[in-house]
Amino acid sequence: GGQPELARHGINCLAAAAAGPDLYATRIAELASSPELRANIAATGLDEVRTRFDIGPISRQIEDFLIASLAP
């Protein structure tokens, strides 16, 4: 589940279909049994938040959009 541009299975999350308790349990077991997987997903998520959602780049994107919308 999740937005494919945000949630990437095995990279920054472990995806599971909605209302799939067996798959949820499997994903939780995967995380519980793999410190390396937990560390990699956490590090990737932190890096993505810092680079994609930092106020600087977002402000520039909004500014660029507003300037472009004023152009004739």
Side-chain angles (χ1 to χ4, degrees):
Q3 297 297 321
E5 67 274 8
L6 298 176
R8 293 172 292 132
H9 177 74
I11 297 171
N12 63 2
C13 73
L14 290 183
D22 291 337
L23 187 52
Y24 286 157
T26 298
R27 297 297 186 235
I28 291 168
E30 288 175 44
L31 287 171
S33 67
S34 178
E36 183 178 358
L37 178 61
R38 291 192 307 269
N40 288 341
I41 287 175
T44 300
L46 180 60
D47 182 59
E48 288 182 356
V49 166
R50 287 180 172 161
T51 58
R52 295 178 67 191
F53 303 106
D54 182 67
I55 191 67
I58 290 174
S59 296
R60 283 188 291 281
Q61 289 173 358
I62 293 170
E63 182 180 12
D64 291 345
F65 172 78
L66 292 173
I67 290 170
S69 68
L70 295 174

